[in-house]
Amino acid sequence: MKNVAYFHPALRALHWLMAAAIIAMLFIGVVMVSTVSSLHSLLVSIHKPLGLMIFVLVLVRLWLRFYTATPALPATLTGWQRAMAHLSHWALYAMMIAQPLIGWGMLSAAGYPVTVAGWVLPPILPVNNDTYALLRPLHSLVALALFATVMLHLAAALFHALVLRDGVFESMSGTRKR
């Protein structure tokens, strides 16, 4: 595939839209499970469609990622840094796909319908308390792992932007390298 200086504009747009959505989703999830107030229902009504939107967007993003040219990592990166960059990106993709599916499966196993914009999505698992009991903590665990990985991703991006100044950050921001 042809090497380019910047990611495709659609990939950049999806990256930043999904970054905002995922951070919002993580904070909504924390507040949602820690409150019994009337705010809980509002947060649940935001959480479900936002999770579905993230799921759809990550599938579109992966498709674009495979069918558009991408910038090469700088030659100055060591082998382990390249490996960690690739591993962390694939971990993020895996969690962005797994997390909404775990949530949907969890709700299906509990017998709760997943309703988005008036549409009831089909259950993806049969009602089963044992499955729900497995998926509920798994949903929280993946959320924590996603949060930690996002924070590491942000730290690496800032390191590239502010310390190394090697063009990695600019390739996703679309700004010119100084």
Side-chain angles (χ1 to χ4, degrees), residues 144-167:
L144 289 171
L146 181 59
F147 180 75
T149 309
V150 165
M151 291 299 104
L152 288 171
H153 183 73
L154 177 60
L158 291 174
F159 184 68
H160 282 282
L162 302 174
V163 178
L164 297 178
R165 297 179 184 211
D166 57 7

Side-chain angles (χ1 to χ4, degrees), residues 34-112:
S34 64
T35 185
V36 291
S37 72
S38 59
L39 187 59
H40 182 266
S41 295
L42 172 64
L43 294 173
V44 169
S45 71
I46 296 168
H47 192 79
K48 290 177 187 179
L50 189 55
L52 182 62
M53 180 191 86
I54 291 168
F55 179 70
V56 170
L57 289 178
V58 74
L59 296 178
V60 171
R61 186 170 164 186
L62 276 169
W63 180 82
L64 275 169
R65 177 71 175 77
F66 285 117
Y67 290 102
T68 60
T70 58
L73 290 172
T76 55
L77 292 183
T78 64
W80 74 267
Q81 289 170 320
R82 289 174 181 281
M84 290 305 297
H86 292 298
L87 177 65
S88 67
H89 281 101
W90 289 113
L92 284 167
Y93 282 124
M95 287 184 279
M96 288 185 289
I97 290 170
Q99 187 66 342
L101 290 175
I102 293 167
W104 189 356
M106 176 185 73
L107 292 173
S108 296
Y112 296 123

Side-chain angles (χ1 to χ4, degrees), residues 48 100-114 121-129 131-132 135:
K48 290 177 187 179
L101 290 175
I102 293 167
W104 189 356
M106 176 185 73
L107 292 173
S108 296
Y112 296 123
V114 177
L121 301 179
I124 59 172
L125 291 173
V127 175
N128 183 299
N129 287 338
T131 303
Y132 174 81
L135 294 178

